[in-house]
Amino acid sequence: MKPRWLLVAALILGAALPRAAAPTIAIDASSPAGKVSPLLYGLMTEEINHAYDGGLYAELLQNRAFLDDAAAPIHWAPVRGDGAAASIALDPGQPLNAVIGTSLRVDVTRASTGHAGGVANEGYWGIPVRPDARYRASFFAKAAPGFTGTVTIAIESEDGKTVYATGRVPGLSPAWKSYELALTTGSAAPTAKARFVLTVDRPGTIWLGLVSLFPPTYKNQVNGFRPDLLQMMIDMRPGFLRFPGGNYLEGDHIADRFEWKKTLGPLSERPGHMAPWGYRSTDGLGLHEFLLWAEAMNAEPVLAVYAGYSLKGAYAKPGPDLAPHVQDALDEIEYVTGAATSQWGSLRARAGHPAPFKLTYVEIGNEDFFDRSGSYDQRFAQFHSAIKARYPDLQVISTVGFEHPESQRVRSVTPDVVDEHYYRTVDAFLKAARGQYDTYNRKGPKIFVGEWGAYETPFEPWNPRSRGEAPTPNMRAAIGDAAWMTEMERNSDLVIMHCYAPLLVNVNPGARQWRPNLIGYDALRVYGSPSYHAIKLFATHVGDEILKAAATGTDVLASATRDSRSRTIYVKLVNPGDTPAPVQLEITGATLGATATALTLAADAQATNAIDAPERVVPIPSQIPDVKRGMTYTVPANGIVVLALQPR
Ligand code: AHR
């Protein structure tokens, strides 16, 4: 028996100590707490991890203009043996034109019918072969005087034994001429173990310039996009596309910036440039293509303009030195938004798009908190006043947000919006998701979270140790991402746009510079990481009204929105724990229908998707049969749930 004094003490203490609150998510639907920004969910992009070349941009030949390496025609190899002899070399003495200052010289010293010699391209980790597909091949060529051979182009197996598609050009002339032909595959099984070859059946010397091969593209656009990758992004229903970077906007040096004027027009007029992630960009995906990409997704461009600062520290001094860059930005805005009769708008019209694109936001630079010269304040001010003078309705974004000390932020004018970047561990996001934005000044600039992503381990995207790791994040990271999204969504009166980074990764060895990334692919296949599915779930189930959502007595994170027209309430629940978490859903101020739908993304913390296992972690839909105010809903361990609750 317990002594009497112990019972008395227990009674007193029991009365004095507050009871642990029942785990509750309280949602107040009586009146909205704010408006959800219509552009809340978007995409950020740049040339990293072979996102464009070897990714979304559908060109299949790597080093098509022979400019990738000044010393050797990398990714090209002679086709010889079997009775043929050939050698290849760069020939800057025979440039294609003033822009592409080299060509490929192919010397075929032995060849005959059935024993052709020439050159092969390995593609971007293979050439994808699909059955009954029409490819568009094109190239510039000329031959040494007297050459009478026929040129054959083909897509064939790596060992040359299987020819999937082939076509012929009857003869070459001694002057540069362009050639174009269609190659059509038959009933081949899909494979990426293929190469592109161009051969001749007579000895001779020929020169090649800008050799290109496109598979079927999205809506069959010329110079277009890979349909499967683009579809993954369309499915996310992004409100905006932030481009062209990221570091890719700035380049390592001023000469390596994204010089948009050099990314327009015929491919043979685009020199390409050295990108900051260790390889050259063809600029086949140039300003015009970025705009078409945004349009294909029904998204608005968020245009980042070069702001006179490059990554290795060089910058243009505010004043006359910066003026040409400011003018470039004004011209660029005119290209995007100007009438078809305007100087730069007319170029857009000539490229096939007479209608101006919608543009609301222009970002000045990228991560200018790295500029230790302290020039950003004045550089920003110079861009800001020129843009506002000519385009008063445009919203101008500063690249230094409140996560940086005031001394680094823009002070001499007030930016409309500031861009904050957060690469954080899952735990850091779980902490930030409990109120980071609650304390922000609602009267100050709006917030654009222009880059963010959760890490399973401490932040080390470039660490060589991360090379062996998966290119895309696991379920645990998706939990951090989803938690962070609840914070941004609950505060979307202030956080008007956000986008994960990086978006794309070619998963082949040697193709990537960063991890983790949202969408992975090789030449033939594509998959979404758990984080991709989490973002897609959030972005495709969001209303226009913010509802107050408060969690008590639970680690589950939540946000709620409502569609003012259909009155559907969307509740997002994130359980970071490794056991199921029952929560009481206290939804006041709305009369709910009897059933609701749930979309659940849940898995072991370490589980992930991969190119060979693309659907290990995907959302599962289900019905909730008995919806009641105060009902208990159990969020699975490591689980992300989106509930769609209909009104009665
Ligand atoms: O997203 C990868 C890089 O991270 C971006 O290029 C840069 O803006 C940031 O530092």
Side-chain angles (χ1 to χ4, degrees):
M1 224 176 109
K2 287 192 177 112
R4 199 178 146 79
W5 65 267
L6 202 60
L7 286 174
V8 173
L11 277 173
I12 292 169
L13 274 175
L17 284 177
R19 285 223 188 99
T24 304
I25 306 290
I27 295 167
D28 179 0
S30 55
S31 60
K35 281 277 176 207
V36 177
S37 161
L39 296 191
L40 183 60
Y41 292 92
L43 300 179
M44 183 273 170
T45 170
E46 67 172 318
E47 182 57 286
I48 184 173
N49 303 321
H50 285 275
Y52 311 151
D53 293 345
L56 179 65
Y57 180 55
E59 172 64 76
L60 295 179
L61 302 190
Q62 190 159 192
N63 192 16
R64 69 180 178 191
F66 311 109
L67 294 168
D68 282 7
D69 189 321
I74 55 173
H75 309 296
W76 293 89
V79 174
R80 55 189 170 207
D82 189 26
S87 63
I88 61 171
L90 294 178
D91 194 348
Q94 302 286 338
L96 175 62
N97 56 31
V99 170
I100 298 183
T102 194
S103 65
L104 185 74
R105 178 183 166 125
V106 185
D107 287 303
V108 178
T109 48
R110 197 166 67 239
S112 56
T113 307
H115 305 280
V119 64
N121 186 280
E122 64 190 8
Y124 290 96
W125 295 272
I127 301 279
V129 174
R130 290 194 170 85
D132 305 314
R134 195 163 189 268
Y135 294 69
R136 194 177 144 270
S138 62
F139 59 95
F140 290 82
K142 66 179 183 175
F147 177 75
T148 55
T150 298
V151 175
T152 300
I153 57 171
I155 302 171
E156 60 176 42
S157 56
E158 283 169 345
D159 61 8
K161 288 188 179 147
T162 309
V163 176
Y164 298 109
T166 187
R168 275 160 183 250
V169 171
L172 301 182
S173 66
W176 283 115
K177 220 177 127 191
S178 68
Y179 301 87
E180 189 176 320
L181 59 165
L183 302 181
T184 308
T185 56
S187 58
T191 179
K193 292 189 177 306
R195 61 180 191 165
F196 170 85
V197 295
L198 185 154
T199 53
V200 294
D201 58 356
R202 297 275 180 284
T205 297
I206 64 171
W207 287 266
L208 300 172
L210 197 84
V211 188
S212 166
L213 179 69
F214 273 84
T217 56
Y218 178 75
K219 295 200 170 165
N220 280 323
Q221 274 165 2
V222 174
N223 198 42
F225 307 113
R226 237 178 97 162
D228 54 348
L229 255 69
L230 186 51
Q231 194 58 50
M232 292 284 287
M233 297 184 243
I234 292 172
D235 292 347
M236 296 174 82
R237 280 193 233 142
F240 67 89
L241 178 69
R242 173 183 178 229
F243 66 82
N247 292 357
Y248 182 61
L249 169 71
E250 310 160 82
D252 278 347
H253 311 281
I254 294 180
D256 301 328
R257 68 194 184 278
F258 181 79
E259 234 182 310
W260 67 272
K261 287 177 182 165
K262 292 186 177 170
T263 72
L264 303 177
L267 300 184
S268 57
E269 298 299 326
R270 303 188 196 189
H273 72 285
M274 188 62 201
W277 295 105
Y279 58 95
R280 269 182 79 85
S281 165
T282 62
D283 288 335
L285 201 159
L287 175 63
H288 195 81
E289 289 75 22
F290 278 114
L291 295 166
L292 296 180
W293 172 8
E295 187 170 64
M297 300 189 300
N298 202 17
E300 257 189 52
V302 170
L303 179 68
V305 297
Y306 180 71
Y309 167 79
S310 290
L311 290 160
K312 301 275 189 218
Y315 69 100
K317 282 204 194 82
D321 288 0
L322 191 64
H325 297 297
V326 175
Q327 188 57 48
D328 252 8
L330 294 175
D331 294 346
E332 190 171 9
I333 296 168
E334 186 176 287
Y335 186 95
V336 177
T337 64
T341 48
S342 64
Q343 186 191 351
W344 291 100
S346 69
L347 279 194
R348 183 198 66 236
R350 228 181 296 155
H353 204 289
F357 290 91
K358 181 171 184 206
L359 185 71
T360 311
Y361 298 98
V362 173
E363 179 157 21
I364 311 302
N366 178 60
E367 296 193 335
D368 287 82
F369 46 84
F370 281 120
D371 174 9
R372 296 295 174 223
S373 75
S375 69
Y376 187 55
D377 181 47
Q378 288 306 306
R379 285 190 289 112
F380 181 89
Q382 198 171 329
F383 276 91
H384 183 270
S385 80
I387 291 172
K388 290 281 182 185
R390 191 142 148 216
Y391 301 101
D393 293 338
L394 280 181
Q395 299 286 291
V396 183
I397 306 173
S398 149
T399 69
V400 188
F402 293 100
E403 80 277 38
H404 295 288
E406 197 180 347
S407 57
Q408 289 182 357
R409 292 183 222 144
V410 170
R411 300 168 307 281
S412 50
V413 283
T414 306
D416 299 306
V417 182
V418 299
D419 182 354
E420 301 191 337
H421 291 181
Y422 295 112
Y423 295 106
R424 287 168 161 165
T425 59
V426 173
D427 287 343
F429 268 138
L430 291 175
K431 189 163 168 233
R434 295 176 206 284
Q436 167 170 328
Y437 285 119
D438 293 350
T439 56
Y440 270 50
N441 177 2
R442 259 44 192 184
K443 298 211 170 81
K446 298 286 187 194
I447 307 295
F448 172 30
V449 187
E451 294 180 27
W452 63 265
Y455 289 81
E456 308 94 328
T457 51
F459 177 56
E460 47 178 16
W462 316 282
N463 189 320
R465 272 184 294 145
S466 82
R467 279 193 202 131
E469 291 173 20
T472 49
N474 64 17
M475 186 64 209
R476 178 75 184 149
I479 291 288
D481 292 330
W484 179 233
M485 284 191 288
T486 63
E487 175 69 11
M488 293 190 283
E489 197 174 270
R490 281 190 297 102
N491 288 280
S492 65
D493 58 317
L494 172 75
V495 180
I496 54 167
M497 300 183 286
H498 70 76
C499 41
Y500 185 100
L503 174 65
L504 297 170
V505 63
N506 185 315
V507 300
N508 279 293
R512 79 169 146 92
Q513 293 77 45
W514 189 283
R515 86 164 298 279
N517 310 283
L518 205 63
I519 298 174
Y521 49 87
D522 63 11
L524 265 184
R525 300 165 295 174
V526 59
Y527 73 96
S529 61
S531 298
Y532 166 84
H533 291 291
I535 296 172
K536 184 173 148 192
L537 275 182
F538 272 57
T540 55
H541 297 88
V542 63
D544 54 345
E545 296 175 346
I546 307 168
L547 300 182
K548 200 157 177 278
T552 43
T554 175
D555 285 340
V556 169
L557 296 120
S559 62
T561 61
R562 175 169 54 199
D563 181 326
S564 60
R565 278 195 291 185
S566 70
R567 311 299 289 169
T568 305
I569 294 176
Y570 298 106
V571 179
K572 281 127 185 177
L573 302 167
V574 182
N575 177 10
D578 52 16
T579 53
V583 288
Q584 204 173 313
L585 286 180
E586 267 305 336
I587 303 176
T588 51
T591 317
L592 301 174
T595 57
T597 53
L599 287 153
T600 304
L601 187 71
D604 286 350
Q606 303 307 316
T608 193
N609 295 330
I611 198 79
D612 294 315
E615 301 208 325
R616 256 192 308 233
V617 187
V618 291
I620 308 288
S622 61
Q623 290 289 318
I624 306 172
D626 195 14
V627 174
K628 281 197 208 71
R629 181 173 162 190
M631 70 178 182
T632 296
Y633 187 84
T634 300
V635 190
N638 303 306
I640 300 166
V641 177
V642 176
L643 302 177
L645 301 152
Q646 313 295 340
R648 190 157 60 205

